[in-house]
Amino acid sequence: MMSVPAIQTALQQMQALKAETAAPSASSMAANAIGAANSAVPQGGFATELKQSLERINSLQQTAAANTKAFQLGDPNVSLNQVMVDKQKAGLAFEMGVQVRNKLVSAYKEIMNMQV
């Protein structure tokens, strides 16, 4: 059973991660709103966004793998909590990428079956 200080520490870490993940999405939404107001044509396009998303997924997976290896080798700077959170982030990002791919394939098939 976990002690009260350990539970409080875990709760603080979870709240910090929540704030960390919420902050980029809020700022990116604001930047997207400003960008949409400034120009009707997006900069970079769909292919650029898709490539950047895949690079972020890859980066999360590499970070999780590196932290896992460091923890297994006994690095005192890497905690089990950090390893588990990184692995969850990488797993969720990968699942999101699979779902986006599935939606794109479904949309492509639907467009291909349209009568012109």
Side-chain angles (χ1 to χ4, degrees):
M1 180 174 261
M2 294 181 77
S3 66
V4 174
I7 292 172
Q8 289 175 340
T9 302
L11 182 59
Q12 289 173 347
Q13 289 175 346
M14 290 169 65
Q15 289 171 341
L17 288 171
K18 179 182 174 189
E20 179 183 312
T21 56
S25 64
S27 64
S28 66
M29 287 186 350
N32 287 341
I34 292 169
N38 288 340
S39 66
V41 179
Q43 304 289 333
F46 179 77
T48 303
E49 287 297 319
L50 184 61
K51 182 180 178 190
Q52 289 173 351
S53 295
L54 292 174
E55 288 171 353
R56 284 190 298 263
I57 291 169
N58 185 44
S59 174
L60 286 170
Q61 288 180 334
Q62 288 178 347
T63 300
N67 283 344
T68 300
K69 185 175 182 179
F71 181 77
Q72 289 172 344
L73 293 175
D75 186 348
N77 297 325
V78 179
S79 68
L80 179 60
N81 293 343
Q82 182 181 3
V83 171
M84 296 305 294
V85 168
D86 286 344
K87 289 185 78 60
Q88 285 295 320
K89 282 182 184 180
L92 287 172
F94 182 76
E95 286 298 319
M96 183 269 314
V98 169
Q99 292 300 320
V100 168
R101 185 216 47 187
N102 291 344
K103 292 290 184 181
L104 287 172
V105 169
S106 175
Y108 175 78
K109 287 180 181 179
E110 187 175 324
I111 289 170
M112 291 304 294
N113 290 330
M114 286 184 177
Q115 297 287 329
V116 182

